[in-house]
Amino acid sequence: MSDVKVKVGILGASGYTGAELVRILAHHAAAEIVLLTADRRAGRPFGEVFPHLAHLNLPTMIRIDEADWDSVDFIFCALPHGTTQEVIAGLPGHIKVVDLSADFRLFDAATYKEWYGAEHAARELQKEVVYGLTELHREKVAKARIVANPGCYPTPVQLSLTPLLEQKLVLAQDIIVDAKSGATGAGRSPKEGLLFAEVTEGIHAYGTGGHRHAPEIEQGLAWASGEDVVINFSPHLMPMSRGILESIYVKMADGVTPEQIHEVLAKRYAGEPFVRVLPFGATPQTRHVRGSNYVLIGVVKDRVPGRVIIVAVEDNLVKGASGQAVQNMNVMMGLPETMGLEIEPLFP
Amino acid sequence: MSDVKVKVGILGASGYTGAELVRILAHHAAAEIVLLTADRRAGRPFGEVFPHLAHLNLPTMIRIDEADWDSVDFIFCALPHGTTQEVIAGLPGHIKVVDLSADFRLFDAATYKEWYGAEHAARELQKEVVYGLTELHREKVAKARIVANPGCYPTPVQLSLTPLLEQKLVLAQDIIVDAKSGATGAGRSPKEGLLFAEVTEGIHAYGTGGHRHAPEIEQGLAWASGEDVVINFSPHLMPMSRGILESIYVKMADGVTPEQIHEVLAKRYAGEPFVRVLPFGATPQTRHVRGSNYVLIGVVKDRVPGRVIIVAVEDNLVKGASGQAVQNMNVMMGLPETMGLEIEPLFP
Amino acid sequence: MSDVKVKVGILGASGYTGAELVRILAHHAAAEIVLLTADRRAGRPFGEVFPHLAHLNLPTMIRIDEADWDSVDFIFCALPHGTTQEVIAGLPGHIKVVDLSADFRLFDAATYKEWYGAEHAARELQKEVVYGLTELHREKVAKARIVANPGCYPTPVQLSLTPLLEQKLVLAQDIIVDAKSGATGAGRSPKEGLLFAEVTEGIHAYGTGGHRHAPEIEQGLAWASGEDVVINFSPHLMPMSRGILESIYVKMADGVTPEQIHEVLAKRYAGEPFVRVLPFGATPQTRHVRGSNYVLIGVVKDRVPGRVIIVAVEDNLVKGASGQAVQNMNVMMGLPETMGLEIEPLFP
Amino acid sequence: MSDVKVKVGILGASGYTGAELVRILAHHAAAEIVLLTADRRAGRPFGEVFPHLAHLNLPTMIRIDEADWDSVDFIFCALPHGTTQEVIAGLPGHIKVVDLSADFRLFDAATYKEWYGAEHAARELQKEVVYGLTELHREKVAKARIVANPGCYPTPVQLSLTPLLEQKLVLAQDIIVDAKSGATGAGRSPKEGLLFAEVTEGIHAYGTGGHRHAPEIEQGLAWASGEDVVINFSPHLMPMSRGILESIYVKMADGVTPEQIHEVLAKRYAGEPFVRVLPFGATPQTRHVRGSNYVLIGVVKDRVPGRVIIVAVEDNLVKGASGQAVQNMNVMMGLPETMGLEIEPLFP
């Protein structure tokens, strides 16, 4: 690591993940923000859009077509899916990229088309993309030019189940993921259903049986298990800003005990800075990871014989988006993986 | 129904379910509150404990041992479990009772002892108790002197699954109930874990695999299916006051379709004033039943073949407690079942 | 009051005040909803827009120009300000109207123009309009054809100060109203600043020194005091759906004591069904009026000699909008004033 | 600043301010936590009480009487008021102290007794105490052995008014401070009034005209103005964890304009790392300082001639408590004042 800082650009900086990237990178010892784009808000200072960061010394937001790519080493792309493919395809080859959209997460063209309703616009590029769930794909990430940052929902469940499926400790079929997310997961675009008065003091299911993160999860679990996987994925919208909790209900292979499940996960993540497996029987709270890059995993015995319950939490904007993106940048640039991410959870 | 009103007493009136009973009964055309007890707060006006109802003309709270039972026709017992058995056993026989505690909900003595850690103090009385999930046991409730009002969690899941288990449309094994509850479900006694700053902006699981409502649910599902049932019941604490949402994951019997599941539920509850089955594929929100006695049920197709998802909601303090208690009183006293309960949900 | 029910129409039914009107009128013994309009959502059932009321038997929403005015006796107009004037001017004379918009609240043409930036489109009509703060203008309301329903903020402060200004107990100058409102006060139109994640867990001032309710309050206080009034009105947006709390800081006239202030208010509202003055020194909570038509007023001694603090609360959607609108309808139609409004607060 | 880290002890570590001290000090480059006390929870690991920080390598909590003072350079005292005086009086003289309780904030013995109902137990010690509102008393803090850390409410208002009173730009009489605080301000001890269901979705005033922070504010304003000050201080409890917003209503001296007020404040704090004065007319939000040590101040023109409105926000647990405490430690130990406090606000 030299004294020269990585020159970082953030495309689509006016959304919540953009703000989180800025918050994290502001104190990153080896990165410097040199470019912020936001097409609709071009020309405005970042602090007008996110006053909590107005005191930082940041470039004014510009349109993407105004960007001087020569001055940039690294791009975080936080654009809406769909437009992303074209933008990334047009970037010069010296720029490494972490893409926070869904555009490069599905590696099967047919699956992409089925869930996003259109042909992928940059299938060639897909071949060089690496799926950036850092703890599971670290070595590939280190060599990648383009990393597809995982979706918020897919991160905790893949961390929870991948080691178990790899060792055939749980069945790849019959997996139920009951997920609960804070409202920032839906972004900052105004919609009636996201108004405070519509979200506070209540909970509801949405996208039940048909959420776009389902195929991404299934893809990851298939990689782990070596077989096709179809899961039940049922997300719910919660009256909180940040946080995802996933209650994962699985069947164990014959003879496997919940205690074994716990032991395997605890061992797997013992050396990981951002993944903590709680003592057997304990379950985590989303508020205990708020604002941080941690994932907490708990393993609990089920009353139903042969079943086990895994509960995992993360902050959807950090480990579920911008934190993991920076973690990936660190790995891609040969920097210490935790750099800039040593931020403690904010509780209460 | 004569002009003479039912003289009602509420034991343990200073908790949330007590306040809800008062709120509902205040405008009940055929009931009159003549007795309020609250041992620790005896001598204080009810409006001091619940200022939102201070304008009502209510009796001062007294100790139970000061009660004049001759002036009372009907008792709602909202005491903590454990103490309840003795109190109800000591009531004169002319008084009908709805008990909101857990003391008479489990009809098997061994199960009671297993979950509550003590012998039941009034097993004889248990024989004349009827389990008061009104829609499922209405005829028995009509003839009962003592009704055990169901727990908040057991109500939606039993309404959802009983018709299906009775007709063998879903399997009695492998039932997963992922439940999310507002904080009032834990009562009004001060505890660190229930402080605003500990509950807001987060979610966590609790009692996973070991909540006391599990055996109550299993008992009801066993009645419906005719076989022993062990379920996965996983409750979560949500940052909201009121409301329970249950995501119920079940396997269908061979050849059964989700559409059939929906049709059976829709037919079963077509004539019920307080249970509404949404159009197929739609899921309900807790905020749409807040403050009301409604249960809403949605049926959704699962991506996993052979599975179906049922999502049900209620207000835990109304249909999950005091509302259903009044509904039971109406049935027991030969009054119109909806009397006093024609209260619309408060949204937003 | 005859057996024939008032045929009621609600214009602009798809907003929060529309939903509240429906909630209240659904159980009104002498009114029947025969017309619901919502231009953008015409043709859709009301229950699609407000699922919590989907079980009610309501007319489908239509466009205003489709309305059959002959079948309507009474209109609640919940349209945006600006468009309202024209619509009401075009209604046939047999229809009585309560207008919930701001269009007819300011009786001085110049003031209207100053604050709303346009000439009033129906100044002639203004002459027959009565300002509907029911408790203060009941007799005029009883004879009115068109009533301008007060704004949410102006209601508690006028109730608090009018009796005091009439008797010259407090100074008409130097009045400070620090107001805190829930998010429903801003309506249901999607805006970034009203998203859950933008409103939760924080408070901010808005419209400080320049909110459009200031001239309406000043008008009412001028009526009471007989002199021109300019107030400091500082509203704040709170992370809650419903409720307004106003902390009102005033100077007393020489020799007046806070106890006297309390006594005058207590006497004035002793017979009022919806206004309660708390014991001296006690202050009210918004959550104790949620969902109800009550206003609670507390009077507290200030540490600064010669000053007194008055704290008043209401539910902005009920007494601050739809509840007071129904209260006015009752008065205008010669019905019991509390009819349909005997709804207890929902707490917790 | 040498390589040797300051050995820090935290007394009363199990409360919210204790947790915040740990969160901040965990990444402080020149401090090391060597002692944590918590009498009721002695013997338990810190991470059991605050699981969000369980991954940190911290000493087990012990009782105060078990402390080895020789190994400690610096104490943060976060004990309840009353007990604090005795504890601090008993500390060896080589230890510097920041006291977060109220015990040494009032410098007048009679005022202390009036508000706390008892004689001060360590009046002699009071003479060497410095009041630690860092920006206002930095030079004295630098030389102090014992610093009384300001209360949460007194911090923003003193920062807002001190420069104005010093220059006689506003009147020292007739000051109204309408304050709104999150629930953490009331601590972590379980009380009915702090339960989630009692705090959510509502606001209420408390301690109106009689809160213990009033004399502390008055003391500071008297220092600034050179005359006795009696203020109106009206706090309100908000449904949020963190944050204080103060709306401050003052009269300007003859001929002074709001723009001048703004300019004076902007100049005064131009070089301060933690105090930001917004552009004239803009008002701040508590959510934009959450988790950080910032104070934001806005100045707005009032409609009432001669008056000005100042709105100031902070995070009550950071600048209002633990953040300012660390800021004071930095000053007292000759460290860079911002060390450990370069934490960005967490929004949303």
Side-chain angles (χ1 to χ4, degrees), chain D residues 11 20 55 72 109 136 154 163 170 190 195 224 278 330 333:
Chain D
L11 311 186
E20 279 295 271
H55 53 281
V72 177
L136 303 180
V170 300
L195 293 176
L278 304 188
N330 288 341
M333 301 304 285

Side-chain angles (χ1 to χ4, degrees), chain C residues 4-63:
Chain C
V4 182
K5 290 189 172 184
V6 180
K7 308 285 185 221
V8 169
I10 301 172
L11 310 186
S14 65
Y16 291 141
T17 52
E20 279 294 270
L21 285 166
V22 170
R23 178 176 74 94
I24 295 167
L25 292 169
H27 298 284
H28 193 289
E32 182 187 3
I33 298 173
V34 298
L35 170 69
L36 296 173
T37 81
D39 278 16
R40 282 179 309 128
R41 316 220 199 192
R44 293 173 59 189
F46 186 76
E48 214 177 85
V49 182
F50 286 112
H52 67 298
L53 300 174
H55 53 281
L56 297 175
N57 187 17
L58 293 166
T60 298
M61 295 188 292
I62 60 175
R63 294 199 317 275

